[in-house]
Amino acid sequence: MTDYSDAGSRASEFLRKYSKFLILGVLVLITIFTTVKPVGTEEEGVVIFLGKYSRTVKPGLNFILPFGIEKMYKIPVQRQLKQEFGFRTKDADVRTTYSSGNFSDESLMLTGDLNLADVEWVVQYRIVNSYNYLFKVRNAEDALHDMAESAMRKIVGDRTVNEVITIGRQEIATEVENHLQKMCNEYENGIRIDQVVLQDVNPPEPVKPSFNEVNEALQEKETLINQAESDYNKVIPRASGEAEQTIEQAEAYSLNRINRAKGEAERFNSLYNAYIKAPEVTKKRIYYETMERILPKIQSKTIIDESGKNVLPLLNLNNSSNTNK
């Protein structure tokens, strides 16, 4: 018992002797901890003096007044941030895993044709004004979440369910981005929207099988239409080409007949004019030209004189060596 009492008395004496140094050391550590504030390369520090904005400091080692007189909020102004709607990323590694929670209260939306769609999307943004981010809007992150959900519901409410799920996704994302940026500018929350991405859009689970059947029918319809257009493009141009060819041949034949008729008419007129000038000469010339065309085509010929008394012997006109005039 004497040993324990002696140790206690020595400890008490040590504390009385060095308590001032211990307290001073603790104060020094607290002062250093509350005064020295390092700011990362992607951040800037907003310093608050007794609850009022004081200044904004750049990345690096900075100093503020200790013991809570000044406080610093580090804002990641050089980092792209994101908010997820309808799902939550649990682990973004080589193989991303997602939370198994139910977020249908923010993703289930009513379309313009009174159907439901389960819309999952991501808003990517940056903080461009740390002062506005901290002081213009209370809890800017939650406010941005509510604004993004409101903007998405507004744009989806103006579209049909087919547009939301199929062809209108990019247009919807662009309109939501623009509308959300306008809201951020109006609220002056210091946020710039970089991109809105529709991750996945599906009909609600109870009606998904029926919706898939409708989509398959629409795809089959498109396939048949494309096949019909392909057949049309094969047959119609060929038929059009053949029709144009027939028309061109008919026009050529018509032009040929007209030209021949004109030529024959001009020939007849020229003969008539020659006949008027010299009837006997023209008659003989026409007679000789006509006989010259006709006689070579006759297989057998019999030539008699004008009186018909002296009949010439029948000649073998098939013999090419004999010529009768």
Side-chain angles (χ1 to χ4, degrees):
M1 295 297 295
T2 304
D3 295 337
Y4 287 111
S5 60
D6 292 342
S9 61
R10 286 196 298 271
S12 299
E13 183 178 355
F14 177 82
L15 289 175
R16 285 195 301 272
K17 185 177 181 180
Y18 296 101
S19 60
K20 295 180 180 180
F21 297 100
L22 293 174
I23 294 173
L24 182 60
V26 171
L27 289 175
V28 170
L29 290 175
I30 294 175
T31 301
I32 294 174
F33 182 76
T34 56
T35 301
V36 180
K37 296 293 183 181
V39 179
T41 56
E42 297 181 348
E43 302 172 331
E44 66 180 15
V46 179
V47 180
I48 310 299
F49 177 73
L50 297 178
K52 185 178 180 180
Y53 171 77
S54 175
R55 62 190 181 278
T56 300
V57 297
K58 300 298 181 181
L61 195 62
N62 294 275
F63 300 91
I64 62 174
L65 296 178
F67 306 113
I69 299 174
E70 287 186 338
K71 293 182 179 180
M72 178 185 290
Y73 295 93
K74 299 177 183 180
I75 308 300
V77 293
Q78 299 295 329
R79 190 186 312 158
Q80 187 179 70
L81 308 174
K82 71 175 182 178
Q83 288 189 359
E84 299 171 337
F85 298 82
F87 70 102
R88 297 293 184 273
T89 301
K90 187 176 181 181
D91 186 14
D93 205 341
V94 177
R95 181 167 183 169
T96 305
T97 58
Y98 299 95
S99 174
S100 59
N102 185 8
F103 303 98
S104 60
D105 55 335
E106 63 187 19
S107 63
L108 200 60
M109 300 187 180
L110 186 66
T111 61
D113 55 354
L114 302 181
N115 285 299
L116 291 176
D118 191 12
V119 184
E120 297 178 356
W121 79 98
V122 175
V123 175
Q124 298 175 348
Y125 64 97
R126 295 178 187 271
I127 301 172
V128 294
N129 191 318
S130 55
Y131 176 82
N132 288 352
Y133 178 79
L134 286 176
F135 299 107
K136 291 290 186 177
V137 178
R138 179 178 296 176
N139 201 338
E141 293 289 335
D142 292 343
L144 178 64
H145 188 279
D146 294 339
M147 288 190 296
E149 186 175 342
S150 173
M152 183 61 74
R153 292 187 183 279
K154 178 181 183 302
I155 302 303
V156 169
D158 294 334
R159 298 290 189 278
T160 65
V161 67
N162 287 329
E163 290 178 313
V164 175
I165 294 177
T166 56
I167 60 174
R169 296 181 56 172
Q170 184 58 48
E171 183 180 355
I172 290 172
T174 302
E175 290 191 18
V176 171
E177 178 182 338
N178 295 333
H179 186 68
L180 183 57
Q181 185 62 64
K182 289 181 181 178
M183 296 175 69
C184 291
N185 295 338
E186 291 176 0
Y187 285 106
E188 297 181 352
N189 59 1
I191 291 176
R192 184 189 69 202
I193 305 300
D194 285 344
Q195 190 178 15
V196 174
V197 181
L198 291 182
Q199 291 288 98
D200 197 10
V201 183
N202 292 303
E205 289 297 332
V207 300
K208 186 178 289 187
S210 300
F211 192 86
N212 291 336
E213 291 179 1
V214 172
N215 281 338
E216 290 176 359
L218 292 175
Q219 291 175 0
E220 185 177 356
K221 173 185 174 182
E222 291 295 329
T223 301
L224 294 175
I225 291 175
N226 293 335
Q227 184 177 355
E229 290 179 349
S230 177
D231 295 339
Y232 174 88
N233 293 331
K234 291 179 181 178
V235 175
I236 297 302
R238 183 174 63 189
S240 299
E242 293 176 354
E244 291 178 0
Q245 182 180 2
T246 303
I247 292 172
E248 290 175 356
Q249 291 177 349
E251 291 177 349
Y253 178 77
S254 172
L255 183 61
N256 183 44
R257 294 288 294 178
I258 292 172
N259 291 334
R260 287 177 60 187
K262 288 180 178 180
E264 291 175 356
E266 291 176 357
R267 178 176 174 274
F268 177 81
N269 291 332
S270 64
L271 289 174
Y272 178 75
N273 293 329
Y275 176 79
I276 294 299
K277 294 178 181 179
E280 294 299 327
V281 175
T282 304
K283 285 181 180 179
K284 289 182 180 181
R285 182 171 63 83
I286 294 174
Y287 174 77
Y288 292 146
E289 290 177 353
T290 303
M291 296 303 294
E292 185 179 6
R293 291 196 308 270
I294 294 174
L295 289 177
K297 299 179 181 179
I298 299 175
Q299 297 296 325
S300 62
K301 301 178 181 68
T302 302
I303 301 174
I304 61 175
D305 59 8
E306 292 181 354
S307 61
K309 297 178 180 180
N310 298 319
V311 180
L312 297 177
L314 181 64
L315 299 179
N316 186 8
L317 298 179
N318 291 328
N319 190 348
S320 60
S321 63
N322 296 325
T323 303
N324 300 313
K325 297 184 180 178

